[in-house]
DNA sequence: GTCTATAATACGATAGAC
DNA sequence: GTCTATCGTATTATAGAC
């Protein structure tokens, strides 16, 4: 076993934790599982993180932060609702192919069972951005008039359910093959 | 404490378990919590159910069975995709108002963390029914041509995300007030 | 069938050497 | 900073009286 830099040790622990949390759930993952998978000792894990929940929290925050930064870098330079929404959908579907673990972690982990106060990721910043773009779209006449929250829900719900179908193995095609068709369907629900 | 019939005892245990599983999650609910909430002794719980997982399994099967029976009684007498889909949406939104615990239990419990083999409820029978109706709709010309699985995903995803918004307290209006508007949005995505 | 008291164990977390 | 060995406790499940 080669000796790692402390930062690499920390990252290894988080990578293993994310995979195991997704595969078996937080409560079904015990510290010795993380020890086996990461090949980092339990003492070292408790050196980097105060306890199991603290590890989960760091993982949650860093994953969400990365996602938001990358999402914004895909959309910020674009103008118009349709372009922005399309870019988000392309980004999500690509991420789901490249890193299904991260996608599943964000979409389906019951973070509120770990941190009692928590809001589901899909209703937080990314979702609010979509809602605001739709509001702008109504104002500019690109989107049919209605309740923006409802429209954002219907739009993103449709997009994300297809991701779920893929992650569950129900949908066989790679997401990039169906991304355009799916976007057209979801866009039709709110387009003027 | 009045003496209950055995069948009432069993039902009380399941009602408490469902509420607690939804509120704090399966793994955060310990047997003594169910004892306190149901006011049934631990010995009696273990008389009716072999163990905690067996209780969860009975709860899952009976909840799903009830849902399917009621859903079919809402749709079986109707003809045409649009009518059937509308009836399902009305049924789901009404159920969500009447029994949000049951709705949340079905939509968001990670049943596969409890029963390793499990399929998420929303991808099982009810979802397949929607997919088949859409197939029929394409054949009859009511629905735009495309991949039925994808269209069922976009349609039901949109419908269910609004339920999620309601259950999470993000959407303030009662669902019956927005059910028609939501159906119109989701229907537009797949209508010819 | 229902209850109380208790056993068995699995887990998170710590102590202390290197 | 990393490791191994171990503790304390919370939780599931059982035993046995009524």
């Amino acid at each position: 076993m080669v000796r790692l830099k402390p930062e690499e040790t920390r990252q290894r622990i988080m990578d293993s934790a994310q995979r195991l949390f997704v595969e078996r759930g937080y409560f079904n993952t015990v510290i010795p599982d993380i020890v086996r998978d990461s090949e980092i000792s339990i003492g070292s894990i408790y050196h980097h993180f105060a306890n199991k929940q603290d590890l989960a929290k760091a993982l949650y925050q860093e994953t969400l932060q990365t996602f938001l930064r990358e999402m914004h870098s895909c959309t910020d330079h674009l103008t118009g609702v349709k372009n922005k929404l399309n870019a988000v959908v392309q980004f999500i579907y690509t991420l789901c192919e490249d890193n299904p673990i991260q996608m599943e972690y964000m979409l389906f982990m019951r973070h509120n069972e770990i941190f009692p106060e928590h809001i589901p990721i899909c209703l937080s910043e990314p979702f609010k951005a979509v809602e605001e773009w739709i509001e702008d779209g109504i104002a500019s006449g690109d989107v049919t008039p209605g309740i923006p929250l409802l429209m954002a829900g219907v739009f993103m719900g449709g997009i994300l359910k297809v991701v779920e179908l893929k992650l569950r193995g129900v949908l066989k095609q790679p997401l990039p093959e169906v991304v355009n068709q799916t976007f057209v369907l979801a866009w039709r629900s709110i387009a003027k």
Side-chain angles (χ1 to χ4, degrees), chain A:
Chain A
M1 180 69 204
V2 285
R3 192 165 180 100
L4 298 170
K5 290 181 205 162
E7 181 46 45
E8 289 170 338
T9 301
R10 195 185 129 92
Q11 193 57 48
R12 264 184 92 94
I13 297 164
M14 294 222 291
D15 288 346
S16 287
Q18 187 173 54
R19 256 231 351 278
L20 293 167
F21 289 174
V22 165
E23 283 171 6
R24 7 180 130 166
Y26 174 80
F27 295 101
N28 289 325
T29 303
V30 301
I31 307 290
D33 291 334
I34 301 177
V35 170
R36 266 188 298 279
D37 190 84
S38 63
E39 296 177 291
I40 308 290
S41 70
I42 185 168
S44 201
I45 291 175
Y46 277 98
H47 172 78
H48 283 279
F49 303 97
N51 50 46
K52 191 184 172 185
Q53 179 168 337
D54 181 63
L55 161 57
K57 192 152 203 164
L59 178 59
Y60 176 84
Q61 289 174 336
E62 291 173 35
T63 303
L64 181 54
Q65 219 168 358
T66 306
F67 176 85
L68 276 172
R69 195 180 47 245
E70 290 177 356
M71 184 185 109
H72 275 114
S73 83
C74 285
T75 59
D76 281 2
H77 63 100
L78 295 172
T79 55
V81 215
K82 192 174 178 181
N83 290 332
K84 279 178 185 282
L85 289 178
N86 188 52
V88 167
V89 175
Q90 300 281 348
F91 168 64
I92 290 172
Y93 281 30
T94 305
L95 177 60
C96 184
E97 293 288 317
D98 294 347
N99 193 345
I101 299 288
Q102 188 189 337
M103 199 71 232
E104 189 153 350
Y105 175 81
M106 289 198 301
L107 283 183
F108 304 123
M109 282 276 299
R110 301 287 320 259
H111 300 101
N112 59 331
E113 286 183 13
I114 309 170
F115 329 116
E117 69 285 11
H118 241 279
I119 294 163
I121 266 182
C122 59
L123 299 182
S124 62
E125 282 99 311
F127 189 83
K128 278 189 204 136
V130 169
E131 194 183 342
E132 281 168 24
W133 296 335
I134 287 177
E135 247 180 278
D136 299 344
I138 295 172
S140 72
D142 293 322
V143 172
T144 196
I147 303 169
L149 175 63
L150 227 51
M151 303 176 90
V154 171
F155 180 84
M156 286 306 293
I159 293 299
L160 294 176
K161 181 61 78 181
V162 173
V163 172
E164 186 179 351
L165 290 171
K166 178 63 185 177
L167 291 170
R168 298 278 170 261
V170 181
L171 179 73
K172 306 296 180 193
Q173 289 113 307
L175 284 178
E177 271 181 32
V178 298
V179 62
N180 290 323
Q181 191 174 343
T182 308
F183 177 77
V184 169
L185 290 171
W187 173 251
R188 276 164 44 123
S189 65
I190 61 168
K192 187 135 190 177

